[in-house]
Amino acid sequence: MALGLRLEKTQKSPGLTLAGEVLTLDLCGGLWAPAHRTLIVSDLHLEKGSAYAARTGQFLPPYDTRETLACLHEAVARFDPACIVALGDSFHDARGPERMEPGDRAMVAALQQGRDWVWIAGNHDAAVSEGVGGRYADVLRLGGLTLRHEPTPGAAPGEVAGHLHPCGKVAMRGRAVRRRCFVTDGTRLVMPAFGAYAGGLNVRDAAFEPLFSKDFTAHLLGEGRVFSIGRGMLSKD
């Protein structure tokens, strides 16, 4: 109870202005750019379960792709975007599209129907061959924003990236909460991983230091709302 009261509660989908673009941080983990009618998601890691099975011989429940696409479908139904940008590592490996079940492939096709779909190359899926619809790009400009998979060290105004799977942790009175999150200093934004099987890296990890030299805010995806937490309230793992 005390932890919940101390968190700075925001509206269900808080807004943010980045490089002159008004954005919505959605509870699903997607980023909505209303002026461009564009929904941005990152690190879907489709077919991660089947990749793990192929590599190790140990099977995980093979439903991660279906669950991830179902969450994306819900967001698309709410926003009705003209464009969807998948911000890299959309597949867990280059052969992910080959392993997709026909029903999952059909779900991707349905999501693409009547709208532009852009696959941004990631470090896991840079070599994915075409065959899953949409178009491919290394970097995409969207108004004042630069959309890419891996964030660039140093100053990068207007950059929206993924790759790091940020999570924020808040600890108080013996209780800790750890959630996926957006993280921003008002100049750049790192997206949470959208995939059902995607893990997370604590935003207090050294990997974030080259990106945010000053204070930043983590927008944690909570139960029914987004919580905005300043760097000083965030704990290391």
Side-chain angles (χ1 to χ4, degrees):
M1 179 68 73
L3 179 64
L5 292 175
R6 286 289 300 278
L7 297 182
E8 179 188 346
K9 294 185 178 182
T10 69
Q11 59 269 37
K12 189 172 183 179
S13 298
L16 172 74
T17 299
L18 194 71
E21 301 288 344
V22 178
L23 307 170
T24 298
L25 311 179
D26 194 68
L27 186 60
C28 73
L31 184 68
W32 174 239
H36 305 278
R37 288 191 58 207
T38 296
L39 179 65
I40 305 163
V41 292
S42 188
D43 295 276
L44 302 175
H45 282 274
L46 302 175
E47 295 303 313
K48 182 173 182 177
S50 64
Y52 183 80
R55 187 176 69 252
T56 68
Q58 300 180 31
F59 290 90
L60 296 174
Y63 307 118
D64 57 306
T65 294
R66 186 71 51 86
E67 182 178 343
T68 300
L69 292 176
C71 291
L72 182 54
H73 182 276
E74 186 277 332
V76 168
R78 285 189 289 112
F79 289 113
D80 188 25
C83 177
I84 298 173
V85 180
L87 209 60
D89 284 2
S90 301
F91 294 92
H92 192 66
D93 62 4
R95 300 190 65 179
E98 301 173 24
R99 298 193 304 273
M100 288 184 75
E101 296 287 341
D104 296 337
R105 187 178 290 272
M107 187 177 292
V108 171
L111 288 168
Q112 294 173 338
Q113 185 68 36
R115 54 179 54 93
D116 188 20
W117 183 293
V118 185
W119 303 100
I120 301 295
N123 58 296
H124 277 258
D125 56 1
V128 169
S129 61
E130 297 191 17
V132 286
R135 57 190 176 97
Y136 295 79
D138 291 323
V139 178
L140 183 70
R141 310 291 180 182
L142 186 69
L145 305 176
T146 300
L147 311 182
R148 58 167 49 96
H149 178 61
E150 294 192 42
T152 53
E159 181 180 83
V160 177
H163 181 59
L164 292 174
H165 301 200
C167 284
K169 180 179 178 181
V170 182
M172 187 181 297
R173 296 182 181 177
R175 181 187 174 195
V177 175
R178 194 178 193 274
R179 302 286 186 184
R180 299 184 190 194
C181 67
F182 299 88
V183 57
T184 181
D185 60 358
T187 300
R188 74 180 338 141
L189 175 74
V190 178
M191 299 272 296
F194 197 91
Y197 278 2
L201 180 65
N202 192 306
V203 293
R204 296 295 305 274
D205 188 270
F208 290 92
E209 292 177 4
L211 309 179
F212 304 106
S213 59
K214 299 180 181 179
D215 285 344
F216 58 77
T217 300
H219 299 274
L220 278 62
L221 309 181
E223 297 295 335
R225 65 172 62 239
V226 176
F227 295 88
S228 297
I229 313 296
R231 182 183 185 279
M233 285 190 64
L234 295 166
S235 303
K236 296 182 179 181
D237 287 336

